[in-house]
Amino acid sequence: MKFVAFERAKQGTGASRRLRITGRTPGIVYGGTADPILIELDHNALWHALKKESFHASVLQMEYNGTTSEVLLRDVQYHPFKQLVLHIDFQRIDANTKMKKKVPLHYSGEENSPAVKIDQCLINHIATELEISCMPKDLPEFIAVDLSNLTKGHSLHAKDITLPEGVTVVAPGTSNPVLVAVVATKAEAPTAQEAAAAAGDNKKKK
């Protein structure tokens, strides 16, 4: 996905406020071997771009001063109640260096799973995104997760899904985070042994 950035000459709170009044959004590009650069973007174009999932989770082509470079979106600051982007950060990437990035998880098939169709369980999506490590060329826009084989009493972990080639999971604190949990929605009928034990207890009470 491509966007156009323009050189920003002034910085500071006052300069940024004046810039926003003119319909521009201040930003910065950092990383790599070059110095950070101050940029500004057309606010309306940026607002619409931010509504697209690919703008958040893919390598972006930034056109700046006649040249194109590859960057990642790293941070966005929104106004607390106005539809206004206050500031945006991008990071340069090196095509030969592995990178870390959170990408969205796209779940499908849960309505056809035994957990839902047979046992009427609820499927809780514990994670909506997953942090991964890969080369820039291997960065997926999203990771598709098939839930059609989910069964009652089982959760889905990161190691249970098929990752795109060249992609590994980054999970600080755990090597295999839970992505999806299966929750029963109704009490199960007692087994024959449990029913007999309950009947015996009732007789004793009498």
Side-chain angles (χ1 to χ4, degrees):
M1 190 171 178
K2 190 173 185 178
F3 70 97
V4 180
F6 305 92
E7 185 176 0
R8 176 160 59 102
K10 297 181 180 180
Q11 58 180 313
T13 303
S16 294
R17 186 182 301 112
R18 290 189 293 272
L19 192 64
R20 296 186 193 103
I21 293 174
T22 66
R24 296 293 183 99
T25 300
I28 189 171
V29 181
Y30 59 85
T33 57
D35 293 332
I37 58 172
L38 301 177
I39 60 171
E40 59 185 68
L41 295 86
D42 178 82
H43 181 272
N44 287 340
L46 175 62
W47 182 263
H48 290 296
L50 285 168
K51 293 181 178 295
K52 299 178 180 178
E53 188 175 70
S54 58
F55 196 77
H56 295 260
S58 61
V59 175
L60 305 173
Q61 307 292 321
M62 184 184 73
E63 183 180 326
Y64 174 79
N65 282 348
T67 61
T68 300
S69 56
E70 293 187 329
V71 298
L72 287 175
L73 174 63
R74 281 306 187 191
D75 189 48
V76 186
Q77 298 175 26
Y78 293 96
H79 192 279
F81 56 86
K82 294 181 180 179
Q83 291 189 344
L84 182 66
V85 181
L86 299 177
H87 194 274
I88 191 162
D89 295 4
F90 296 97
Q91 180 183 358
R92 300 184 188 94
I93 62 172
D94 180 355
N96 299 313
T97 303
K98 276 193 172 184
M99 49 176 280
K100 294 180 180 179
K101 180 71 174 174
K102 290 183 178 179
V103 298
L105 298 171
H106 284 192
Y107 295 111
S108 65
E110 63 184 66
E111 66 279 2
N112 296 318
S113 68
V116 173
K117 291 187 71 174
I118 299 175
D119 296 305
Q120 289 81 50
C121 294
L122 290 178
I123 307 300
N124 287 344
H125 299 169
I126 306 301
T128 57
E129 60 184 11
L130 192 62
E131 187 171 9
I132 62 169
S133 174
C134 65
M135 300 297 288
K137 66 179 181 62
D138 296 324
L139 179 66
E141 185 176 322
F142 61 87
I143 295 175
V145 182
D146 181 12
L147 303 180
S148 60
N149 293 319
L150 279 182
T151 56
K152 185 177 180 179
H154 294 84
S155 300
L156 187 76
H157 293 74
K159 289 184 179 179
D160 298 326
I161 66 174
T162 301
L163 296 171
E165 186 176 354
V167 173
T168 57
V169 173
V170 178
T174 175
S175 60
N176 194 24
V178 177
L179 305 181
V180 173
V182 180
V183 182
T185 58
K186 61 182 180 180
E188 296 183 12
T191 64
Q193 289 182 340
E194 290 171 337
D201 289 341
N202 290 334
K203 287 181 180 179
K204 290 178 182 178
K205 291 178 181 178
K206 292 178 180 179

